[in-house]
Each structure stands twice: as C-alpha cells, then as structure tokens.
Amino acid sequence: RFGSFTVPARRISEFLVECSSPSAASASDQGRLAKSSNGVVSVPVSVSNNGVDFAQASGLAFHYYPAPTGEGTVSSGPSVLPRASLVSGGSLLALQGRGFAVAAGLLGASAVRCRVGKAELPAALVDDGLVTCTAPPAWQAGLAAAGERAAVAVSLNGGADWHP
C-alpha cells in the first residue's frame, strides 16, 4: 500500500514483493499530503499477507518527485547540445533543464542515465540544470545511416522512467 492506496503485488521471494506505484495523486490521498519545498511528495509504504492487516517498516517511504523540465515551458523536456555527433560517437552531450538534482538527491547520482535512440548510457549529474553523457556510436543508438536523428532522454531513477 502506498499511503492509503492499495495496489496488487506479486511475491518474488520470502523477502521481496513487486508492485507498480500508483499516481502521486492517488497515493497522496488526492493531494492531501504536503509537498516538500522541492516538490517531493513522500508516502509511507506498507505490506500485507492477507490484504487486511498492513505492516509498515519504520522509515520506509516512496517518493514522488517532479519531472525535470526544459529551459522553455514546463511541458518541454531537457534541451540537448550539441545537436549532432560523429557516426562513431564520443561527443559529450549536455542535457540542460531544471529539476535533475531533486531525484538524484533521493536516489543517488548513480541513478541518472541517458538514452540516445536505443542506447542506454551512464550519465553524470553536474548540477540541478545539467546532466552529461557520451554519445554512443550510431549503430548502438539503432541508427542505420549518417544524418538520421535519435531521440535523447534522461532518467533520474535508473531507467525506470524517461523524460524526453
């Protein structure tokens, strides 16, 4: 259960269950839980063997963080510079936006990743407005010819969610 919202779970082992998190609005009782100053909503997580009696581990919480935004409107994703790389890859890509450090502060900088086309890559969090990664070779990104474009996205949670 996330906050007061119950979701189905699958038992993986004696010590591990798997489930999908509900929306932040559902888990936070339709927004009745307060956001922190950086926009994070934290909800308690509890588990049950019978669907009636729930136990919460001390300090266990799930955190919803605001999606990073681009330099333009709130709906735009991070901007990418440079706009092109050699077919062999190797160019340092700079993804500029806002809100990168919030999730990294919750999950650690190692959770930050870049995706260029089909290639998922480690990334470096420089500051709240800048993530960098190295462009892969075109074949690794899934591009067949020079001049083709690859979508670029950033993940702040190890690749579970991507932000264009």
Side-chain angles (χ1 to χ4, degrees):
R1 178 172 12 190
F2 292 79
S4 61
F5 194 86
T6 303
V7 297
R10 182 172 68 103
R11 181 179 174 183
I12 304 295
S13 72
E14 181 180 354
F15 304 102
L16 182 65
V17 294
E18 176 183 73
C19 63
S20 294
S21 62
S23 69
S26 295
S28 67
D29 257 349
Q30 301 303 323
R32 285 188 278 275
L33 293 179
K35 289 182 182 178
S36 66
S37 61
N38 60 5
V40 173
V41 174
S42 297
V43 297
V45 176
S46 54
V47 294
S48 173
N49 285 325
N50 61 13
V52 176
D53 303 309
F54 286 85
Q56 179 182 347
S58 178
L60 182 61
F62 187 81
H63 309 284
Y64 293 91
Y65 59 87
T69 59
E71 293 299 313
T73 65
V74 171
S75 63
S76 69
S79 61
V80 181
L81 295 172
R83 295 254 185 224
S85 178
L86 298 170
V87 172
S88 59
S91 297
L92 183 65
L93 301 178
L95 288 77
Q96 297 173 317
R98 289 185 299 274
F100 297 133
V102 171
L106 293 170
L107 303 171
S110 64
V112 179
R113 302 197 44 87
C114 285
R115 184 172 61 199
V116 179
K118 295 180 179 180
E120 290 187 20
L121 312 158
L125 174 69
V126 177
D127 60 35
D128 188 61
L130 181 63
V131 168
T132 61
C133 61
T134 303
W139 66 266
Q140 191 178 0
L143 304 177
E148 284 188 302
R149 294 177 183 252
V152 178
V154 64
S155 174
L156 304 174
N157 60 4
D161 298 300
W162 292 93
H163 306 282

